[in-house]
Amino acid sequence: MIKQSLLNPEQAVFRQTVGAGDYFIHTVKQGQVFRILDLEGNQAADTLFYSAADTSERYSAMDTIREQSNLYLTAGSILKTNENNDLLEVVADTCGRHDTVGGACATESNTVRYDLEKRCMHACRDSWMLAIQEHEEYGLSKADITHNINFFMNVPVTAEGGLTFEDGISGAGKYVELKALMDVVVLISNCPQLNNPCNGYNPTPIEVLVWG
Ligand SMILES: [Zn+2]
């Protein structure tokens, strides 16, 4: 569902550009709204969310899908935690669909899906691991790297239940905006994947903006 935002980027209290293949980690306070902006188009932002008060409570794909009775995320979606609490609400979306089924890329999945020689390529799981290692203050460990959301990624499910990674439906300037319903740690891998169309075979920067 396409829903525009009324928020003015010039009034944002925080803005950060995240380079192609880089990570982003930041705490968003309850009531704040943040936007992930696809600056150049066709860029997947592989994202994990945690309750800042207790990071063992985190985004849960299965609870979210069950509660909204839909596989895709868009404006109106309430993201649920593994304790079935409300974590975030998608309040604006100019892309229209985001995946939470396909999972994030890892060196292991690159090896299985593409080629043994792809093992040394950058992957989202490594970016998350680097983030939690370089930011010990969040108290996150390897066990906290669980299922995620792929913002801007197009993973349609076929009538037969099949899963395919398709060319992106995002474009330059498209964005998704979420309101924090509790204090939330946001951990993004700006996906470096080069072996499938999730980044249009050309990873590019995103920008994160926060209001409130
Ligand atoms: Zn990735």
Side-chain angles (χ1 to χ4, degrees):
M1 185 173 76
I2 302 297
K3 187 176 178 189
Q4 307 276 344
S5 170
L6 298 174
L7 294 171
N8 181 351
E10 290 176 7
Q11 292 173 342
V13 296
F14 175 95
R15 296 181 77 158
Q16 185 176 322
T17 299
V18 185
D22 288 349
Y23 71 77
F24 171 85
I25 188 164
H26 187 76
T27 301
V28 177
K29 294 288 185 188
Q30 184 176 14
Q32 285 187 318
V33 173
F34 72 97
R35 177 185 297 182
I36 305 173
L37 172 61
D38 188 356
L39 287 169
E40 297 182 28
N42 261 356
Q43 177 60 33
D46 292 39
T47 305
L48 295 162
F49 296 114
Y50 306 88
S51 163
D54 174 7
T55 51
S56 70
E57 184 171 12
R58 61 179 74 112
Y59 170 71
S60 167
M62 50 274 251
D63 288 280
T64 301
I65 290 167
R66 184 193 65 241
E67 291 296 320
Q68 72 167 11
S69 302
N70 197 294
L71 283 173
Y72 306 124
L73 304 178
T74 186
S77 291
I78 304 284
L79 309 187
K80 308 294 281 192
T81 71
N82 55 334
E83 297 177 25
N84 207 30
N85 292 315
D86 294 350
L87 181 65
L88 297 133
E89 179 180 357
V90 182
V91 292
D93 181 12
T94 60
C95 177
R97 179 194 281 183
H98 308 272
D99 165 67
T100 193
V101 177
C105 61
T107 55
E108 293 85 353
S109 62
N110 282 342
T111 305
V112 171
R113 284 182 182 141
Y114 308 113
D115 197 290
L116 190 58
E117 70 175 19
K118 308 290 189 184
R119 188 174 175 85
C120 58
M121 293 177 76
H122 295 277
C124 283
R125 190 175 170 81
D126 284 354
S127 295
W128 288 332
M129 293 292 287
L130 182 64
I132 64 176
Q133 185 181 23
E134 291 185 341
H135 294 275
E136 291 180 349
E137 66 271 23
Y138 290 94
L140 295 165
S141 74
K142 188 177 183 179
D144 296 312
I145 304 300
T146 59
H147 33 99
N148 69 297
I149 297 171
N150 297 307
F151 288 111
F152 308 116
M153 191 167 160
N154 185 23
V155 184
V157 177
T158 68
E160 294 73 34
L163 206 62
T164 52
F165 293 175
E166 297 290 334
D167 202 7
I169 52 175
S170 187
K174 294 200 176 187
Y175 58 80
V176 60
E177 222 168 77
L178 299 101
K179 183 176 185 179
L181 304 177
M182 59 174 74
D183 291 354
V184 177
V185 176
V186 179
L187 174 53
I188 301 173
S189 164
N190 192 19
C191 183
Q193 181 59 256
L194 287 164
N195 298 294
N196 72 44
C198 69
N199 301 319
Y201 301 99
N202 176 35
T204 50
I206 56 171
E207 186 179 4
V208 179
L209 302 91
V210 182
W211 289 266

